[in-house]
Every structure is written in structure tokens, then in C-alpha cells.
Amino acid sequence: NAGVTQTPKFQVLKTGQSMTLQCAQDMNHEYMSWYRQDPGMGLRLIHYSVGAGITDQGEVPNGYNVSRSTTEDFPLRLLSAAPSQTSVYFCASSLRTGREGANVLTFGAGSRLTVL
Amino acid sequence: AQTVTQSQPEMSVQEAETVTLSCTYDTSESNYYLFWYKQPPSRQMILVIRQEAYKQQNATENRFSVNFQKAAKSFSLKISDSQLGDTAMYFCAFMKQPPRDMRFGAGTRLTVKP
């Protein structure tokens, strides 16, 4: 059982480049989400999804795009990277309400992104 | 929007002693969950404990317990018999129901000293 797998673990980009952070889970979790972690600010929600084909914006969605074509995968796209997007990114997933273990987020190991 | 406040950026405790980390939150929701997550230097986010808002009984997990005061919107974490392995960032988090977004506090860096 791999849990939540994020790739890559480290990435350096130049301003204006695009890239996709991959997130996959093998626990059949309906809920998936992306957070960014910046010093002194905790984790802030970028986008989330409650099921395949359904996505919504979180606290800091600007500059990021997501899609959810399958239950397992939830990629995060940076269309035109900016230095302000330098951060550590976490993907997390959970079951939905009403089921044992619901609402407890399982996190990936994180991806450190640097934009020069 | 929900907000979560952790007023202690850093704390330290001697090994084997007890420490309490504070957390307050602001919400108009009546159905929600509260969590404490631990982030050691490895960067991995690890669930420490969770509390359902509809439960009056405070959650406990071995050496970890919470003091949940719903009316005061307070959710503190008590760590008993502190161990060196407890050294980490601790984040308080709030999630309304059904799960939509989870809001985190800014974190408290806890150092356990030998």
C-alpha cells in the first residue's frame, strides 16, 4: 500500500516555465487536495476535489490549475511559474464523511519547488 | 472563512515533562473536525490526534490529549512525558463537514531538551 505518492520531490524552474506536480493515491479516497507550505504561514489550500470530475478552489488558487479525471490522480499544474510560487507542496487525500477513517488526511512526502 | 490561530511560534520542554500547545479557531459552523498534525524534520505530516466537534469527551492518544472547549473555540494539545522524538512543528487544523477545505494554523515549533 503506497499511500499518497508525489513526484517530483525537488524541482527548479525558471520564471515563466510550466510544470506539473503529480499526485497519486491507491486508497480509493474520494477527497484529494493540494497545499503549499511557506515559512511562518502553515499550510494553505490551493485546490481540492471531492471526486472524479469535480474540483474547487481553495485559499490560494491563483497561478495553479488542477483536474481530476480519475479517482487515483490529482495533478497540479503551474502554467507560468513565478518566484512567489517557490514553496513546498503537499498533496493529501481522505475518505469522505460517513465512513470509518473519513476526514483524516493522508499526506504525500512533499515536493520542494524553487522558481528562479 | 474559518481561521485557525496558534499563538506560540516556539516552545521548549524538558524531556519527561508535560507541555501544552494552544490553538483557537473561528467558525460559524456547527459540524466540524479539529486536528493536530506533527511535522518532524523529515517534512512528513503525521496525524497526532483528532476531535469531532459533536463529541464532548476530549480525545486522547497515548501521551497526547486535547482540551476541547467548543464555546470558547479553543483546542489545546497536551503532551505528557515528552520524548526527544516529539521535537517537531505542530499544526492545529480545522475541517468543516462534509470535507471541503482544511485550514491550518501557522504552527508551533516544539523542542524537547534532554
Side-chain angles (χ1 to χ4, degrees):
Chain A
N1 191 345
V4 178
T5 302
Q6 285 183 237
T7 55
K9 286 187 167 49
F10 301 94
Q11 183 72 47
V12 179
L13 289 177
K14 294 181 179 178
T15 297
Q17 286 185 320
S18 63
M19 76 157 299
T20 299
L21 295 175
Q22 301 291 346
C23 177
Q25 52 89 9
D26 60 358
M27 298 170 285
N28 204 28
H29 284 175
E30 299 95 334
Y31 180 86
M32 296 186 75
S33 52
W34 276 102
Y35 292 84
R36 59 177 289 173
Q37 183 178 19
D38 302 296
M41 301 187 74
L43 280 75
R44 291 182 293 167
L45 181 67
I46 304 171
H47 286 284
Y48 65 93
S49 168
V50 298
I54 306 169
T55 64
D56 208 345
Q57 296 180 351
E59 222 178 330
V60 287
N62 293 338
Y64 306 95
N65 194 12
V66 293
S67 60
R68 184 98 179 266
S69 56
T70 66
T71 300
E72 296 77 20
D73 300 299
F74 191 47
L76 178 72
R77 297 181 184 86
L78 284 71
L79 302 176
S80 178
S84 61
Q85 294 178 303
T86 293
S87 188
V88 177
Y89 291 85
F90 287 94
C91 180
S93 70
S94 76
L95 293 169
R96 295 201 67 196
T97 303
R99 299 172 61 185
E100 182 62 30
N103 312 307
V104 176
L105 288 180
T106 299
F107 283 84
S111 300
R112 181 177 292 278
L113 175 66
T114 301
V115 183
L116 303 176
Chain B
Q2 287 66 231
T3 59
V4 179
T5 302
Q6 293 179 249
S7 59
Q8 305 151 314
E10 294 190 18
M11 294 191 71
S12 63
V13 63
Q14 292 296 129
E15 196 174 7
E17 293 188 346
T18 296
V19 63
T20 298
L21 308 183
S22 301
C23 172
T24 58
Y25 60 95
D26 185 26
T27 185
S28 58
E29 304 286 334
S30 58
N31 190 16
Y32 53 88
Y33 283 72
L34 294 163
F35 305 84
W36 279 97
Y37 279 88
K38 167 185 177 181
Q39 187 180 44
S42 66
R43 202 172 66 191
Q44 183 67 45
M45 294 289 289
I46 302 165
L47 177 68
V48 175
I49 199 165
R50 71 168 175 167
Q51 174 81 42
E52 294 91 333
Y54 64 87
K55 289 187 177 179
Q56 292 186 342
Q57 185 174 7
N58 290 324
T60 61
E61 287 288 341
N62 301 314
R63 298 184 294 107
F64 300 89
S65 62
V66 297
N67 183 3
F68 173 46
Q69 302 290 327
K70 191 172 183 179
K73 296 179 182 175
S74 171
F75 184 62
S76 60
L77 174 70
K78 186 171 81 171
I79 306 174
S80 304
D81 186 25
S82 297
Q83 301 176 358
L84 297 178
D86 295 334
T87 292
M89 282 288 289
Y90 286 82
F91 293 99
C92 178
F94 169 101
M95 179 182 268
K96 61 183 178 182
Q97 296 305 303
R100 286 288 183 257
D101 57 349
M102 179 177 276
R103 298 298 173 109
F104 287 81
T108 296
R109 184 177 301 280
L110 175 68
T111 302
V112 180
K113 298 179 178 179

